[in-house]
Amino acid sequence: MTRLRLAALVVLALAGFVGMGGVAAAPSAVAASPASCTGGVIRQPDVSPPPGYTKVIDVVMGVTNDEDSGMWGYWALDNYRKHIQVWQDGSSFYVAVIYDGTWHTFAGALSPGYKVGEPSDGTGSMQGGYIATMTGSMLSSPTETTHGSIGTYDFGGTKSDIMLGTYGNGQTGDPAPTSWLGFYFDSTTSSTFAFADGGNAWGWVYTGNSTTGEWCNTGTGSSGDIVTH
């Protein structure tokens, strides 16, 4: 992930994703296992705001150099487009953010699923997103447009940080993440952010032409891996 940064109060839910249910025990495999994301990856057809809600935000945000968090540490740099949509009914908000982009990893980095040293540089695609709810109000004067493009943000992630291998080995993550929430909501409303479906409505799938298998990282479980050839 992810691909993924919100305000500091929800960053534990979106930046790491390893905290969702704890870090899984390392499988004994030394290469990626095939995976099939049969569920959990959030895509546009999964977005279904309740009846009576009105769309109040519909924007596209570009992101570059976002350090993607695996089960063990940051393992790749992501560049992606995310489509941010928010619907409102009174003080209730329905949020959907859909990602579409690419990842790039490096020889010697640790793979996201099984902690395998990557044999070579590699790149591929990533798609997914999340659905959430909030309660409160929008800012009376948002700092970005509510419809259209809000530009591209460089999160500042680096190969050198990824090559440290694991979170416990000094990895620090993106030095300049930007939260879209802050453009439209104050901290009180943002603090009510909660993933839908009991916290499970988030998920991404990673694939690549130069890799074995795919990695599914979702709220309903993670499987597979990305290992370069």
Side-chain angles (χ1 to χ4, degrees):
M1 177 256 298
T2 116
R3 28 280 161 284
L4 355 184
R5 301 297 183 268
L6 292 182
L9 50 150
V10 294
V11 75
L12 290 178
L14 286 182
F17 285 100
V18 294
M20 306 293 286
V23 175
S28 59
V30 295
S33 296
S36 178
C37 299
T38 56
V41 178
I42 303 299
R43 305 180 190 274
Q44 189 62 40
D46 301 308
V47 176
S48 182
Y53 278 58
T54 300
K55 183 179 281 188
V56 292
I57 299 172
D58 190 355
V59 298
V60 173
M61 176 179 177
V63 174
T64 61
N65 297 314
D66 182 9
E67 292 188 30
D68 200 318
S69 49
M71 300 300 290
W72 312 97
Y74 298 106
W75 69 281
L77 291 178
D78 291 345
N79 298 317
Y80 53 82
R81 165 191 182 274
K82 59 182 180 182
H83 184 192
I84 302 163
Q85 303 164 87
V86 180
W87 289 260
Q88 180 180 10
D89 183 12
S91 61
S92 297
F93 295 93
Y94 177 96
V95 177
V97 180
I98 305 299
Y99 293 61
D100 184 24
T102 61
W103 56 266
H104 183 79
T105 193
F106 311 97
L110 298 181
S111 68
Y114 293 166
K115 205 177 182 181
V116 176
E118 299 287 5
S120 62
D121 289 6
T123 191
S125 65
M126 53 87 73
Q127 290 88 32
Y130 60 87
I131 296 172
T133 61
M134 295 190 300
T135 303
S137 60
M138 285 184 63
L139 295 175
S140 57
S141 298
T143 59
E144 287 288 353
T145 182
T146 58
H147 290 74
S149 172
I150 59 174
T152 298
Y153 296 81
D154 185 345
F155 282 17
T158 63
K159 175 182 177 180
S160 60
D161 194 51
I162 288 170
M163 297 307 292
L164 292 174
T166 66
Y167 302 119
N169 200 37
Q171 286 186 334
T172 58
D174 297 331
T178 300
S179 165
W180 69 267
L181 279 175
F183 301 147
Y184 306 105
F185 301 97
D186 63 21
S187 60
T188 300
T189 299
S190 297
S191 69
T192 68
F193 177 99
F195 291 115
D197 294 337
N200 293 325
W202 58 269
W204 287 261
V205 58
Y206 299 78
T207 58
N209 293 332
S210 59
T211 65
T212 301
E214 65 182 14
W215 185 44
C216 308
N217 184 213
T218 77
T220 55
S222 295
S223 61
D225 203 1
I226 289 290
V227 177
T228 60
H229 290 165

